[in-house]
Amino acid sequence: MYIKNNRIADIVPEVTEWRRWLHRHPELLFDLPETARFVAARLREIGVDEIHENVAETGVVAIINGATDGPSIGLRADMDALPIEEISGVEHASETPGNMHACGHDGHSAMLLGAAKVLAETRNFAGKAVLIFQPAEEGGVGAKAMMDSGLFGRLGLNEIYGMHNMPNMAVGEFGLCDGPTLAATDFFYIDIEGVGGHASQPHKCVDPLAAANAIYNGFQSIITRNTDPAKNGLISITAMQAGEANNVIPLTASIKGTVRNLHEDTRDIIERRMHEIVDGVAKSHGVKAVLQYERLCPVTVNHSDQVARAAEAAVKVVGEEKVDREQPARLGGEDFSYMLQEHPGAIIFIGNGDSAGLHHPEYDFNDEAIPYGIAYWAKLVEDRLPLAQ
Ligand SMILES: [Zn+2]
Ligand SMILES: [Zn+2]
């Protein structure tokens, strides 16, 4: 199988060093000066044909020309880390207090650099491999900023592919699904203002906590009573803040959370009902309550043909029994959704083994996955951009 390719085995130690360097130097959102510099420096050493830097602030896009002309295929990795204090205890742990690569984007970037090295050497394809290193996947919708830069339109991308590691999937396994794959991801913020006062005189106050409680409970009925049970989503309230003392009714309360779903019409229903409930509670409780609803990224929808092509490439790397073509959709979010709205493509998951979960302070990308990721990218390019026989 393709994974036994000697050239890939040869470069794994170097790519592992790159991965660990990136892990030691986590940076957030669009603010990736060291990361982008590192990625661009490796691409220059590798000898790619074109490098575009500072795309959407710190994004890097490299082009490798195949042996002959042909279409272009985009391969996307994300580069940003998370504001989490690492407790993995690994030797290559974060050197920046408070930040860590807890989603494995260090691994994604390193594997794509490894693929660049293989593709720049072999050039065993007809067309252009466009390697996309994007900033701000974690809540900054960097993918949309990359699209808005207009670069991919100018390059005339024919297809685009993404890859994300997945804890608790065995190393050497791949999985994906057709259609909705990851959820639309929205954030919401609610500010409630009542009338504070002495806890012994609730009749002279307007209690924002009682209103917050009513909103919390009201939201639970949206998923059970308003949305199609076959197209459900979720509302998670993740923060409620109000008050400090035992004997004071506070003036204000605030609520935060996230909404996820796999269907855009469900998303519309949830947003509308949340507004109605907040406005209704404000009226019935006599508080001021304002809901701010922020749509971060749409549903990530894989395209059928590209799912089939991605699965074929993965099968060539690891064999039929290690590729799950019908993985259930997940309620995590991905801004790669914006790229899939403009170009046909698919995101595939690659096993990270028995690791801590994504966004967990003990998480670490599994270096054992590196050869599989490199092999998949290289095979996909050779398959999608075949040389004339
Ligand atoms: Zn993440
Ligand atoms: Zn991620």
Side-chain angles (χ1 to χ4, degrees):
M1 266 173 291
Y2 198 79
I3 191 66
K4 303 271 191 276
N5 179 313
N6 285 336
R7 192 60 200 121
I8 291 176
D10 287 349
I11 67 169
V12 165
E14 185 179 23
V15 176
T16 303
E17 285 312 306
W18 296 343
R19 203 288 288 182
R20 292 181 179 194
W21 189 94
L22 290 166
H23 194 89
R24 283 194 290 271
H25 300 90
E27 297 177 301
L28 305 184
L29 291 166
F30 288 98
D31 189 18
L32 312 175
E34 296 294 325
T35 308
R37 214 178 351 256
F38 182 87
V39 165
R42 299 293 80 71
L43 290 166
R44 258 180 226 107
E45 287 165 10
I46 286 164
V48 300
D49 296 297
E50 266 178 57
I51 301 184
H52 302 258
E53 290 177 78
N54 310 315
V55 183
E57 296 187 42
T58 43
V60 182
V61 176
I63 297 171
I64 301 174
N65 296 321
T68 58
D69 286 344
S72 7
I73 179 174
L75 313 179
R76 174 273 205 171
D78 36 19
M79 299 188 286
D80 57 319
L82 283 153
I84 297 174
E85 181 73 34
E86 180 163 0
I87 57 165
S88 69
V90 297
E91 168 267 326
H92 54 272
S94 168
E95 292 173 4
T96 307
N99 292 355
M100 76 172 282
H101 269 291
C103 206
H105 299 182
D106 49 342
H108 302 166
S109 293
M111 291 190 294
L112 190 54
L113 285 171
K117 184 150 178 148
V118 172
L119 292 168
E121 277 177 18
T122 56
R123 313 248 173 188
N124 190 26
F125 58 97
K128 288 179 192 301
V130 178
L131 313 175
I132 300 162
F133 298 86
Q134 79 152 75
E137 195 287 321
E138 298 288 1
V141 288
K144 183 170 187 299
M146 297 285 282
M147 298 301 297
D148 291 346
S149 75
L151 179 63
F152 303 138
R154 290 198 294 282
L155 292 174
L157 271 193
N158 295 89
E159 295 184 338
I160 195 160
Y161 292 87
M163 176 164 28
H164 205 293
N165 77 95
M166 195 49 68
N168 299 317
M169 243 174 88
V171 170
E173 288 187 7
F174 288 90
L176 76 173
C177 69
D178 192 5
T181 294
L182 290 162
T185 302
D186 302 332
F187 285 173
F188 62 86
Y189 307 85
I190 303 166
D191 287 310
I192 304 166
E193 187 183 333
V195 178
H198 202 288
S200 67
Q201 298 187 311
H203 56 298
K204 293 189 178 168
C205 303
V206 178
D207 185 0
L209 276 166
N213 186 44
I215 288 170
Y216 184 98
N217 289 326
F219 281 2
Q220 306 309 314
S221 71
I222 298 175
I223 301 296
T224 59
R225 302 292 89 180
N226 302 133
T227 56
D228 181 341
K231 300 200 293 186
N232 249 336
L234 69 84
I235 304 172
S236 278
I237 291 175
T238 54
M240 291 182 81
Q241 271 142 3
E244 280 179 80
N246 292 67
N247 57 355
V248 178
I249 291 174
L251 172 65
T252 61
S254 67
I255 298 174
K256 280 187 207 175
T258 183
V259 172
R260 307 290 172 105
N261 56 76
L262 295 162
H263 303 273
E264 292 293 337
D265 50 347
T266 303
R267 187 186 204 188
D268 293 339
I269 293 167
I270 292 174
E271 182 178 357
R272 176 176 55 78
R273 286 296 294 141
M274 285 175 68
H275 275 289
E276 287 169 359
I277 287 167
V278 169
D279 292 348
V281 167
K283 211 171 250 174
S284 62
H285 281 250
V287 296
K288 279 187 214 152
V290 179
L291 165 65
Q292 189 198 330
Y293 191 99
E294 216 173 82
R295 292 189 170 214
L296 286 184
C297 56
V299 182
T300 302
V301 184
N302 275 347
H303 299 237
S304 294
D305 283 354
Q306 285 68 31
V307 166
R309 303 290 92 79
E312 280 164 23
V315 165
K316 286 178 185 162
V317 174
V318 294
E320 191 69 51
E321 67 286 353
K322 297 283 179 71
V323 179
D324 181 357
R325 295 163 197 256
E326 291 180 4
Q327 253 190 2
R330 295 179 167 85
L331 276 292
E334 244 297 342
D335 67 2
F336 187 59
S337 51
Y338 283 107
M339 295 183 170
L340 290 180
Q341 283 185 331
E342 301 291 327
H343 305 284
I347 186 165
I348 196 166
F349 298 103
I350 179 170
N352 199 54
D354 190 18
S355 71
L358 299 173
H359 295 202
H360 190 282
E362 285 176 306
Y363 171 88
D364 189 25
F365 178 82
N366 191 337
D367 290 324
E368 302 289 317
I370 286 174
Y372 299 97
I374 296 174
Y376 167 75
W377 282 138
K379 195 69 222 160
L380 185 66
V381 170
E382 290 178 2
D383 269 19
R384 297 306 293 135
L385 307 177
L387 286 168
Q389 299 300 311

